Amino acid sequence: MTRSWQIWRDRRGRLSYLRFSVLALLLLPLLKAIFEAGGIAHGARPLNELIHRAGFWALVFLGTTLAVTPFRRIFRYGKLLDVRRMLGVGTFCYIAAHLLLFYADQSYSPSKALHEITHRVYLIIGAIAWLGLAALAVTSTDGMVRRLGPMRWRRLHQVSYFIALLALIHYFQQTKADVTVPIFAASLFCWLIAYRLIAAWRQASNLSTSYLFLLAIVVSLITFIGEAIGIGLAFHVSPLRVLETIFNFDVGIRPGWRILVAGLTVAAVDAVLARWKSGDVPARAVAAE
Ligand code: HEM
């Protein structure tokens, strides 16, 4: 009985409320879809709606998995590492459902599905990302960590940043109208990648509060400029004209502002916790990343 509960226990053998909470978080989009099943079924394209939901949540959970390393340091909460694998496997479940629903939408015809995938660039990119996530899921077991060795395993799992980039391209390419959410998602990934790159460059396990403030500002600027160039290219207008409108809040809050607020909030939390908590991230756990 105790053994069957092993997966829900932390390293000290106690029932892990963190793991239960993450399971609840992972199940939330599924429960929401079940709750809204009536509305979805009566929509114009129920299967397409479910494909979108599964893809969106896979991307959200992929980002959450990548956020574990910086957030456990910023929040001084080493236990977060305990749920990284669970988040990764959850991501794969949603992405498996995404492909399965796509297959159902292609009338369960392998040749039709394969033809569709190989004839659309955004689907080719999605398929490469899918295969990458499958490889990460297969190699996520303790046995595979031992077989590959920690160094090679870590290097392999760093591919997840490249996979996230492909998933974002796939997301952008299939978006037909409003790109606000994809741009915000891209800015969050940009923050995550920049955090890891700066930490690696400084050979530090975490970034100081001033670096986090700087990171928030730089990523926000990149987001404003990237959005302006994107809109400029798409609508044949000068990116400078687009930049002039960033203070026009009548048309909505631009992703650049959103990432600025999110980044500054994280930096402020870091500043507070740096005073209150000395850090409960054990050296052994840092070595395991
Ligand atoms: C073989 C692999 C894949 C196939 C066949 C596929 C297929 C699709 C299709 C058909 C759509 C809807 C497009 C439309 O309605 O025009 C879509 C949207 C999407 N896919 Fe995929 N996809 C794949 C892999 C992935 C992967 C690996 C990710 C991310 C981890 C992903 C994330 C998304 C997202 C975020 C959306 C848009 C969701 C939204 O609109 O909110 N897909 N995909």
Side-chain angles (χ1 to χ4, degrees):
M1 181 71 181
T2 312
R3 275 184 74 84
S4 62
W5 281 90
Q6 202 57 39
I7 185 178
W8 301 109
R9 292 180 187 279
D10 61 20
R11 284 169 199 195
R12 291 184 190 164
R14 291 176 307 199
L15 276 184
S16 167
Y17 294 105
L18 183 62
R19 289 190 184 194
F20 283 114
S21 310
V22 169
L23 177 69
L25 179 78
L26 287 168
L27 289 175
L28 220 60
L30 179 66
L31 295 177
K32 190 170 177 285
I34 293 171
F35 189 70
E36 294 169 0
I40 296 172
H42 288 102
R45 294 178 65 193
L47 267 178
N48 193 259
E49 168 67 24
L50 292 175
I51 290 172
H52 277 262
R53 286 182 182 226
F56 179 77
W57 286 106
L59 192 63
V60 169
F61 291 132
L62 178 59
T64 313
T65 313
L66 295 179
V68 165
T69 297
F71 279 18
R72 65 190 282 272
R73 293 169 182 167
I74 292 164
F75 294 122
R76 276 80 175 161
Y77 192 61
K79 280 186 191 162
L80 267 188
L81 196 62
D82 232 29
V83 290
R84 187 169 60 180
R85 185 186 312 188
M86 207 172 155
L87 282 165
V89 173
T91 304
F92 184 69
C93 290
Y94 276 94
I95 215 57
H98 187 58
L99 184 57
L100 216 63
L101 288 160
F102 170 78
Y103 182 55
D105 201 31
Q106 301 302 311
S107 323
Y108 299 101
S109 157
S111 55
K112 210 174 154 197
L114 208 66
H115 181 271
E116 191 73 8
I117 290 176
T118 50
H119 283 75
R120 291 181 197 268
V121 177
Y122 87 95
L123 290 182
I124 294 175
I125 292 172
I128 297 170
W130 198 99
L131 290 172
L133 284 172
L136 296 189
V138 167
T139 56
S140 68
T141 61
D142 286 339
M144 282 310 274
V145 179
R146 274 195 300 274
R147 204 175 298 170
L148 289 169
M151 280 304 283
R152 273 169 63 196
W153 186 88
R154 255 173 70 180
R155 220 168 289 154
L156 174 70
H157 279 248
Q158 275 167 358
V159 172
S160 52
Y161 287 93
F162 180 64
I163 293 172
L165 184 70
L166 293 180
L168 279 171
I169 297 172
H170 170 76
Y171 187 17
F172 266 100
Q173 286 188 317
Q174 67 80 51
T175 305
K176 274 116 199 158
D178 190 359
V179 284
T180 309
V181 181
I183 291 175
F184 181 57
S187 69
L188 289 172
F189 278 100
C190 181
W191 187 96
L192 288 169
I193 291 171
Y195 182 102
R196 293 304 293 260
L197 287 178
I198 298 171
W201 166 62
R202 299 199 66 238
Q203 295 184 324
S205 62
N206 54 344
L207 298 188
S208 65
T209 305
S210 29
Y211 264 103
L212 290 176
F213 274 113
L214 199 67
L215 189 60
I217 294 166
V218 171
V219 172
S220 160
L221 286 176
I222 292 173
T223 307
F224 279 125
I225 295 170
E227 185 192 28
I229 294 174
I231 292 177
L233 288 175
F235 297 99
H236 306 290
V237 290
S238 159
L240 289 175
R241 296 255 331 257
V242 182
L243 280 175
E244 279 168 14
T245 65
I246 62 172
F247 292 101
N248 180 1
F249 296 107
D250 292 342
V251 287
I253 301 168
R254 304 293 265 272
W257 293 119
R258 289 170 201 253
I259 189 67
L260 182 66
V261 171
L264 291 180
T265 307
V266 167
V269 168
D270 185 72
V272 173
L273 293 183
R275 281 173 174 266
W276 281 1
K277 281 183 146 191
S278 54
D280 73 348
V281 181
R284 179 172 51 84
V286 171
E289 283 171 9

PDB file of all heavy atoms in Angstrom, residues 158-188:
ATOM      1  N   GLN A 158      18.234  19.960 -22.268  1.00  0.00           N
ATOM      2  CA  GLN A 158      18.310  21.395 -22.589  1.00  0.00           C
ATOM      3  C   GLN A 158      17.689  21.678 -23.952  1.00  0.00           C
ATOM      4  O   GLN A 158      17.390  22.819 -24.287  1.00  0.00           O
ATOM      5  CB  GLN A 158      19.767  21.873 -22.534  1.00  0.00           C
ATOM      6  CG  GLN A 158      20.166  22.252 -21.109  1.00  0.00           C
ATOM      7  CD  GLN A 158      21.647  22.420 -20.925  1.00  0.00           C
ATOM      8  OE1 GLN A 158      22.426  22.228 -21.867  1.00  0.00           O
ATOM      9  NE2 GLN A 158      22.055  22.761 -19.727  1.00  0.00           N
ATOM     10  N   VAL A 159      17.497  20.607 -24.744  1.00  0.00           N
ATOM     11  CA  VAL A 159      16.845  20.728 -26.053  1.00  0.00           C
ATOM     12  C   VAL A 159      15.426  21.284 -25.883  1.00  0.00           C
ATOM     13  O   VAL A 159      14.826  21.809 -26.816  1.00  0.00           O
ATOM     14  CB  VAL A 159      16.822  19.334 -26.752  1.00  0.00           C
ATOM     15  CG1 VAL A 159      16.004  19.351 -28.008  1.00  0.00           C
ATOM     16  CG2 VAL A 159      18.233  18.885 -27.058  1.00  0.00           C
ATOM     17  N   SER A 160      14.888  21.177 -24.664  1.00  0.00           N
ATOM     18  CA  SER A 160      13.509  21.625 -24.431  1.00  0.00           C
ATOM     19  C   SER A 160      13.339  23.112 -24.796  1.00  0.00           C
ATOM     20  O   SER A 160      12.248  23.525 -25.199  1.00  0.00           O
ATOM     21  CB  SER A 160      13.079  21.375 -22.987  1.00  0.00           C
ATOM     22  OG  SER A 160      14.019  21.915 -22.111  1.00  0.00           O
ATOM     23  N   TYR A 161      14.408  23.908 -24.686  1.00  0.00           N
ATOM     24  CA  TYR A 161      14.302  25.325 -25.059  1.00  0.00           C
ATOM     25  C   TYR A 161      14.116  25.463 -26.570  1.00  0.00           C
ATOM     26  O   TYR A 161      13.351  26.299 -27.035  1.00  0.00           O
ATOM     27  CB  TYR A 161      15.554  26.103 -24.601  1.00  0.00           C
ATOM     28  CG  TYR A 161      15.564  26.303 -23.114  1.00  0.00           C
ATOM     29  CD1 TYR A 161      16.218  25.410 -22.280  1.00  0.00           C
ATOM     30  CD2 TYR A 161      14.880  27.369 -22.531  1.00  0.00           C
ATOM     31  CE1 TYR A 161      16.198  25.567 -20.908  1.00  0.00           C
ATOM     32  CE2 TYR A 161      14.850  27.535 -21.169  1.00  0.00           C
ATOM     33  CZ  TYR A 161      15.512  26.635 -20.356  1.00  0.00           C
ATOM     34  OH  TYR A 161      15.473  26.799 -19.010  1.00  0.00           O
ATOM     35  N   PHE A 162      14.828  24.621 -27.328  1.00  0.00           N
ATOM     36  CA  PHE A 162      14.698  24.638 -28.782  1.00  0.00           C
ATOM     37  C   PHE A 162      13.297  24.158 -29.181  1.00  0.00           C
ATOM     38  O   PHE A 162      12.655  24.726 -30.075  1.00  0.00           O
ATOM     39  CB  PHE A 162      15.790  23.751 -29.399  1.00  0.00           C
ATOM     40  CG  PHE A 162      15.744  23.696 -30.887  1.00  0.00           C
ATOM     41  CD1 PHE A 162      15.956  24.832 -31.656  1.00  0.00           C
ATOM     42  CD2 PHE A 162      15.452  22.510 -31.544  1.00  0.00           C
ATOM     43  CE1 PHE A 162      15.892  24.793 -33.037  1.00  0.00           C
ATOM     44  CE2 PHE A 162      15.394  22.447 -32.924  1.00  0.00           C
ATOM     45  CZ  PHE A 162      15.612  23.594 -33.674  1.00  0.00           C
ATOM     46  N   ILE A 163      12.814  23.135 -28.466  1.00  0.00           N
ATOM     47  CA  ILE A 163      11.464  22.612 -28.740  1.00  0.00           C
ATOM     48  C   ILE A 163      10.430  23.709 -28.478  1.00  0.00           C
ATOM     49  O   ILE A 163       9.478  23.895 -29.246  1.00  0.00           O
ATOM     50  CB  ILE A 163      11.179  21.375 -27.849  1.00  0.00           C
ATOM     51  CG1 ILE A 163      12.097  20.226 -28.258  1.00  0.00           C
ATOM     52  CG2 ILE A 163       9.709  20.959 -27.941  1.00  0.00           C
ATOM     53  CD1 ILE A 163      12.040  19.023 -27.339  1.00  0.00           C
ATOM     54  N   ALA A 164      10.630  24.460 -27.395  1.00  0.00           N
ATOM     55  CA  ALA A 164       9.700  25.550 -27.065  1.00  0.00           C
ATOM     56  C   ALA A 164       9.691  26.589 -28.179  1.00  0.00           C
ATOM     57  O   ALA A 164       8.637  27.116 -28.545  1.00  0.00           O
ATOM     58  CB  ALA A 164      10.101  26.187 -25.740  1.00  0.00           C
ATOM     59  N   LEU A 165      10.869  26.849 -28.736  1.00  0.00           N
ATOM     60  CA  LEU A 165      10.963  27.815 -29.836  1.00  0.00           C
ATOM     61  C   LEU A 165      10.154  27.326 -31.049  1.00  0.00           C
ATOM     62  O   LEU A 165       9.380  28.089 -31.644  1.00  0.00           O
ATOM     63  CB  LEU A 165      12.440  28.013 -30.205  1.00  0.00           C
ATOM     64  CG  LEU A 165      12.736  29.042 -31.270  1.00  0.00           C
ATOM     65  CD1 LEU A 165      12.465  30.433 -30.718  1.00  0.00           C
ATOM     66  CD2 LEU A 165      14.199  28.957 -31.714  1.00  0.00           C
ATOM     67  N   LEU A 166      10.310  26.035 -31.377  1.00  0.00           N
ATOM     68  CA  LEU A 166       9.549  25.459 -32.504  1.00  0.00           C
ATOM     69  C   LEU A 166       8.050  25.523 -32.228  1.00  0.00           C
ATOM     70  O   LEU A 166       7.247  25.870 -33.107  1.00  0.00           O
ATOM     71  CB  LEU A 166       9.963  24.003 -32.737  1.00  0.00           C
ATOM     72  CG  LEU A 166      11.387  23.748 -33.231  1.00  0.00           C
ATOM     73  CD1 LEU A 166      11.622  22.256 -33.411  1.00  0.00           C
ATOM     74  CD2 LEU A 166      11.633  24.468 -34.555  1.00  0.00           C
ATOM     75  N   ALA A 167       7.668  25.218 -30.973  1.00  0.00           N
ATOM     76  CA  ALA A 167       6.240  25.237 -30.613  1.00  0.00           C
ATOM     77  C   ALA A 167       5.688  26.657 -30.764  1.00  0.00           C
ATOM     78  O   ALA A 167       4.559  26.841 -31.224  1.00  0.00           O
ATOM     79  CB  ALA A 167       6.061  24.737 -29.183  1.00  0.00           C
ATOM     80  N   LEU A 168       6.494  27.647 -30.415  1.00  0.00           N
ATOM     81  CA  LEU A 168       6.038  29.042 -30.550  1.00  0.00           C
ATOM     82  C   LEU A 168       5.857  29.431 -32.016  1.00  0.00           C
ATOM     83  O   LEU A 168       4.895  30.103 -32.376  1.00  0.00           O
ATOM     84  CB  LEU A 168       7.056  29.981 -29.897  1.00  0.00           C
ATOM     85  CG  LEU A 168       6.957  30.111 -28.381  1.00  0.00           C
ATOM     86  CD1 LEU A 168       8.136  30.885 -27.839  1.00  0.00           C
ATOM     87  CD2 LEU A 168       5.650  30.807 -27.990  1.00  0.00           C
ATOM     88  N   ILE A 169       6.799  28.978 -32.861  1.00  0.00           N
ATOM     89  CA  ILE A 169       6.678  29.271 -34.302  1.00  0.00           C
ATOM     90  C   ILE A 169       5.385  28.648 -34.830  1.00  0.00           C
ATOM     91  O   ILE A 169       4.610  29.273 -35.553  1.00  0.00           O
ATOM     92  CB  ILE A 169       7.917  28.755 -35.080  1.00  0.00           C
ATOM     93  CG1 ILE A 169       9.180  29.486 -34.606  1.00  0.00           C
ATOM     94  CG2 ILE A 169       7.735  28.931 -36.594  1.00  0.00           C
ATOM     95  CD1 ILE A 169      10.482  28.941 -35.155  1.00  0.00           C
ATOM     96  N   HIS A 170       5.145  27.389 -34.419  1.00  0.00           N
ATOM     97  CA  HIS A 170       3.920  26.663 -34.803  1.00  0.00           C
ATOM     98  C   HIS A 170       2.683  27.456 -34.348  1.00  0.00           C
ATOM     99  O   HIS A 170       1.718  27.630 -35.106  1.00  0.00           O
ATOM    100  CB  HIS A 170       3.989  25.282 -34.135  1.00  0.00           C
ATOM    101  CG  HIS A 170       2.756  24.445 -34.194  1.00  0.00           C
ATOM    102  ND1 HIS A 170       2.356  23.771 -35.321  1.00  0.00           N
ATOM    103  CD2 HIS A 170       1.831  24.145 -33.240  1.00  0.00           C
ATOM    104  CE1 HIS A 170       1.244  23.089 -35.054  1.00  0.00           C
ATOM    105  NE2 HIS A 170       0.905  23.309 -33.800  1.00  0.00           N
ATOM    106  N   TYR A 171       2.738  27.969 -33.143  1.00  0.00           N
ATOM    107  CA  TYR A 171       1.622  28.748 -32.566  1.00  0.00           C
ATOM    108  C   TYR A 171       1.393  30.020 -33.384  1.00  0.00           C
ATOM    109  O   TYR A 171       0.266  30.325 -33.793  1.00  0.00           O
ATOM    110  CB  TYR A 171       1.992  29.075 -31.117  1.00  0.00           C
ATOM    111  CG  TYR A 171       0.897  29.729 -30.280  1.00  0.00           C
ATOM    112  CD1 TYR A 171      -0.439  29.709 -30.659  1.00  0.00           C
ATOM    113  CD2 TYR A 171       1.217  30.350 -29.078  1.00  0.00           C
ATOM    114  CE1 TYR A 171      -1.426  30.291 -29.867  1.00  0.00           C
ATOM    115  CE2 TYR A 171       0.242  30.937 -28.278  1.00  0.00           C
ATOM    116  CZ  TYR A 171      -1.071  30.901 -28.685  1.00  0.00           C
ATOM    117  OH  TYR A 171      -2.033  31.492 -27.902  1.00  0.00           O
ATOM    118  N   PHE A 172       2.488  30.732 -33.672  1.00  0.00           N
ATOM    119  CA  PHE A 172       2.376  31.980 -34.450  1.00  0.00           C
ATOM    120  C   PHE A 172       1.802  31.717 -35.829  1.00  0.00           C
ATOM    121  O   PHE A 172       0.933  32.437 -36.302  1.00  0.00           O
ATOM    122  CB  PHE A 172       3.757  32.633 -34.612  1.00  0.00           C
ATOM    123  CG  PHE A 172       4.053  33.656 -33.553  1.00  0.00           C
ATOM    124  CD1 PHE A 172       4.848  33.350 -32.476  1.00  0.00           C
ATOM    125  CD2 PHE A 172       3.511  34.928 -33.634  1.00  0.00           C
ATOM    126  CE1 PHE A 172       5.116  34.280 -31.486  1.00  0.00           C
ATOM    127  CE2 PHE A 172       3.767  35.876 -32.657  1.00  0.00           C
ATOM    128  CZ  PHE A 172       4.583  35.559 -31.575  1.00  0.00           C
ATOM    129  N   GLN A 173       2.339  30.662 -36.483  1.00  0.00           N
ATOM    130  CA  GLN A 173       1.951  30.417 -37.872  1.00  0.00           C
ATOM    131  C   GLN A 173       0.483  30.054 -38.037  1.00  0.00           C
ATOM    132  O   GLN A 173      -0.113  30.332 -39.075  1.00  0.00           O
ATOM    133  CB  GLN A 173       2.833  29.333 -38.469  1.00  0.00           C
ATOM    134  CG  GLN A 173       4.240  29.860 -38.763  1.00  0.00           C
ATOM    135  CD  GLN A 173       5.048  28.849 -39.534  1.00  0.00           C
ATOM    136  OE1 GLN A 173       5.007  27.657 -39.225  1.00  0.00           O
ATOM    137  NE2 GLN A 173       5.801  29.300 -40.515  1.00  0.00           N
ATOM    138  N   GLN A 174      -0.100  29.396 -37.009  1.00  0.00           N
ATOM    139  CA  GLN A 174      -1.502  29.005 -37.162  1.00  0.00           C
ATOM    140  C   GLN A 174      -2.453  30.083 -36.657  1.00  0.00           C
ATOM    141  O   GLN A 174      -3.652  29.965 -36.838  1.00  0.00           O
ATOM    142  CB  GLN A 174      -1.760  27.643 -36.500  1.00  0.00           C
ATOM    143  CG  GLN A 174      -1.642  27.607 -34.996  1.00  0.00           C
ATOM    144  CD  GLN A 174      -2.854  28.129 -34.295  1.00  0.00           C
ATOM    145  OE1 GLN A 174      -3.970  27.721 -34.559  1.00  0.00           O
ATOM    146  NE2 GLN A 174      -2.631  29.068 -33.371  1.00  0.00           N
ATOM    147  N   THR A 175      -1.899  31.132 -36.019  1.00  0.00           N
ATOM    148  CA  THR A 175      -2.780  32.196 -35.514  1.00  0.00           C
ATOM    149  C   THR A 175      -3.214  33.078 -36.672  1.00  0.00           C
ATOM    150  O   THR A 175      -2.373  33.597 -37.409  1.00  0.00           O
ATOM    151  CB  THR A 175      -2.044  33.036 -34.440  1.00  0.00           C
ATOM    152  OG1 THR A 175      -1.581  32.150 -33.429  1.00  0.00           O
ATOM    153  CG2 THR A 175      -2.976  34.055 -33.798  1.00  0.00           C
ATOM    154  N   LYS A 176      -4.537  33.236 -36.797  1.00  0.00           N
ATOM    155  CA  LYS A 176      -5.030  33.960 -37.971  1.00  0.00           C
ATOM    156  C   LYS A 176      -5.210  35.451 -37.722  1.00  0.00           C
ATOM    157  O   LYS A 176      -4.978  36.264 -38.598  1.00  0.00           O
ATOM    158  CB  LYS A 176      -6.361  33.362 -38.456  1.00  0.00           C
ATOM    159  CG  LYS A 176      -6.171  32.184 -39.396  1.00  0.00           C
ATOM    160  CD  LYS A 176      -6.728  30.924 -38.801  1.00  0.00           C
ATOM    161  CE  LYS A 176      -6.162  29.685 -39.464  1.00  0.00           C
ATOM    162  NZ  LYS A 176      -6.256  28.514 -38.621  1.00  0.00           N
ATOM    163  N   ALA A 177      -5.651  35.840 -36.532  1.00  0.00           N
ATOM    164  CA  ALA A 177      -5.964  37.261 -36.333  1.00  0.00           C
ATOM    165  C   ALA A 177      -5.096  37.889 -35.241  1.00  0.00           C
ATOM    166  O   ALA A 177      -3.969  38.297 -35.516  1.00  0.00           O
ATOM    167  CB  ALA A 177      -7.447  37.400 -36.004  1.00  0.00           C
ATOM    168  N   ASP A 178      -5.592  37.940 -34.032  1.00  0.00           N
ATOM    169  CA  ASP A 178      -4.933  38.653 -32.946  1.00  0.00           C
ATOM    170  C   ASP A 178      -3.707  37.868 -32.425  1.00  0.00           C
ATOM    171  O   ASP A 178      -3.846  36.735 -31.958  1.00  0.00           O
ATOM    172  CB  ASP A 178      -5.953  38.837 -31.811  1.00  0.00           C
ATOM    173  CG  ASP A 178      -5.427  39.774 -30.749  1.00  0.00           C
ATOM    174  OD1 ASP A 178      -4.289  40.255 -30.886  1.00  0.00           O
ATOM    175  OD2 ASP A 178      -6.153  40.021 -29.770  1.00  0.00           O
ATOM    176  N   VAL A 179      -2.523  38.502 -32.519  1.00  0.00           N
ATOM    177  CA  VAL A 179      -1.312  37.795 -32.089  1.00  0.00           C
ATOM    178  C   VAL A 179      -0.853  38.241 -30.688  1.00  0.00           C
ATOM    179  O   VAL A 179       0.268  37.954 -30.281  1.00  0.00           O
ATOM    180  CB  VAL A 179      -0.149  37.975 -33.102  1.00  0.00           C
ATOM    181  CG1 VAL A 179      -0.339  37.138 -34.330  1.00  0.00           C
ATOM    182  CG2 VAL A 179       0.069  39.439 -33.430  1.00  0.00           C
ATOM    183  N   THR A 180      -1.736  38.911 -29.950  1.00  0.00           N
ATOM    184  CA  THR A 180      -1.343  39.400 -28.617  1.00  0.00           C
ATOM    185  C   THR A 180      -0.900  38.268 -27.695  1.00  0.00           C
ATOM    186  O   THR A 180       0.160  38.362 -27.061  1.00  0.00           O
ATOM    187  CB  THR A 180      -2.534  40.156 -27.955  1.00  0.00           C
ATOM    188  OG1 THR A 180      -3.009  41.118 -28.891  1.00  0.00           O
ATOM    189  CG2 THR A 180      -2.115  40.860 -26.688  1.00  0.00           C
ATOM    190  N   VAL A 181      -1.692  37.196 -27.634  1.00  0.00           N
ATOM    191  CA  VAL A 181      -1.344  36.094 -26.714  1.00  0.00           C
ATOM    192  C   VAL A 181      -0.058  35.386 -27.177  1.00  0.00           C
ATOM    193  O   VAL A 181       0.845  35.168 -26.359  1.00  0.00           O
ATOM    194  CB  VAL A 181      -2.535  35.111 -26.551  1.00  0.00           C
ATOM    195  CG1 VAL A 181      -2.175  33.996 -25.579  1.00  0.00           C
ATOM    196  CG2 VAL A 181      -3.756  35.858 -26.033  1.00  0.00           C
ATOM    197  N   PRO A 182       0.077  35.041 -28.486  1.00  0.00           N
ATOM    198  CA  PRO A 182       1.346  34.433 -28.908  1.00  0.00           C
ATOM    199  C   PRO A 182       2.560  35.324 -28.619  1.00  0.00           C
ATOM    200  O   PRO A 182       3.609  34.826 -28.212  1.00  0.00           O
ATOM    201  CB  PRO A 182       1.166  34.230 -30.420  1.00  0.00           C
ATOM    202  CG  PRO A 182      -0.295  34.142 -30.621  1.00  0.00           C
ATOM    203  CD  PRO A 182      -0.931  34.996 -29.580  1.00  0.00           C
ATOM    204  N   ILE A 183       2.409  36.650 -28.786  1.00  0.00           N
ATOM    205  CA  ILE A 183       3.548  37.540 -28.516  1.00  0.00           C
ATOM    206  C   ILE A 183       3.880  37.525 -27.023  1.00  0.00           C
ATOM    207  O   ILE A 183       5.054  37.453 -26.636  1.00  0.00           O
ATOM    208  CB  ILE A 183       3.267  38.987 -28.988  1.00  0.00           C
ATOM    209  CG1 ILE A 183       3.225  39.038 -30.518  1.00  0.00           C
ATOM    210  CG2 ILE A 183       4.339  39.959 -28.482  1.00  0.00           C
ATOM    211  CD1 ILE A 183       2.835  40.381 -31.089  1.00  0.00           C
ATOM    212  N   PHE A 184       2.846  37.536 -26.183  1.00  0.00           N
ATOM    213  CA  PHE A 184       3.101  37.487 -24.738  1.00  0.00           C
ATOM    214  C   PHE A 184       3.774  36.155 -24.366  1.00  0.00           C
ATOM    215  O   PHE A 184       4.728  36.125 -23.584  1.00  0.00           O
ATOM    216  CB  PHE A 184       1.788  37.673 -23.968  1.00  0.00           C
ATOM    217  CG  PHE A 184       1.974  37.668 -22.478  1.00  0.00           C
ATOM    218  CD1 PHE A 184       2.841  38.572 -21.870  1.00  0.00           C
ATOM    219  CD2 PHE A 184       1.302  36.760 -21.672  1.00  0.00           C
ATOM    220  CE1 PHE A 184       3.021  38.568 -20.492  1.00  0.00           C
ATOM    221  CE2 PHE A 184       1.478  36.753 -20.292  1.00  0.00           C
ATOM    222  CZ  PHE A 184       2.340  37.652 -19.708  1.00  0.00           C
ATOM    223  N   ALA A 185       3.294  35.049 -24.968  1.00  0.00           N
ATOM    224  CA  ALA A 185       3.906  33.735 -24.704  1.00  0.00           C
ATOM    225  C   ALA A 185       5.374  33.763 -25.125  1.00  0.00           C
ATOM    226  O   ALA A 185       6.257  33.300 -24.394  1.00  0.00           O
ATOM    227  CB  ALA A 185       3.149  32.637 -25.453  1.00  0.00           C
ATOM    228  N   ALA A 186       5.646  34.361 -26.301  1.00  0.00           N
ATOM    229  CA  ALA A 186       7.030  34.431 -26.794  1.00  0.00           C
ATOM    230  C   ALA A 186       7.896  35.258 -25.839  1.00  0.00           C
ATOM    231  O   ALA A 186       9.056  34.917 -25.582  1.00  0.00           O
ATOM    232  CB  ALA A 186       7.060  35.031 -28.197  1.00  0.00           C
ATOM    233  N   SER A 187       7.323  36.339 -25.281  1.00  0.00           N
ATOM    234  CA  SER A 187       8.112  37.181 -24.374  1.00  0.00           C
ATOM    235  C   SER A 187       8.436  36.430 -23.081  1.00  0.00           C
ATOM    236  O   SER A 187       9.518  36.576 -22.523  1.00  0.00           O
ATOM    237  CB  SER A 187       7.386  38.499 -24.085  1.00  0.00           C
ATOM    238  OG  SER A 187       6.245  38.262 -23.300  1.00  0.00           O
ATOM    239  N   LEU A 188       7.500  35.587 -22.619  1.00  0.00           N
ATOM    240  CA  LEU A 188       7.772  34.792 -21.411  1.00  0.00           C
ATOM    241  C   LEU A 188       8.906  33.796 -21.680  1.00  0.00           C
ATOM    242  O   LEU A 188       9.806  33.617 -20.849  1.00  0.00           O
ATOM    243  CB  LEU A 188       6.507  34.041 -20.975  1.00  0.00           C
ATOM    244  CG  LEU A 188       5.384  34.893 -20.375  1.00  0.00           C
ATOM    245  CD1 LEU A 188       4.129  34.052 -20.174  1.00  0.00           C
ATOM    246  CD2 LEU A 188       5.806  35.499 -19.038  1.00  0.00           C
TER     247      LEU A 188
END
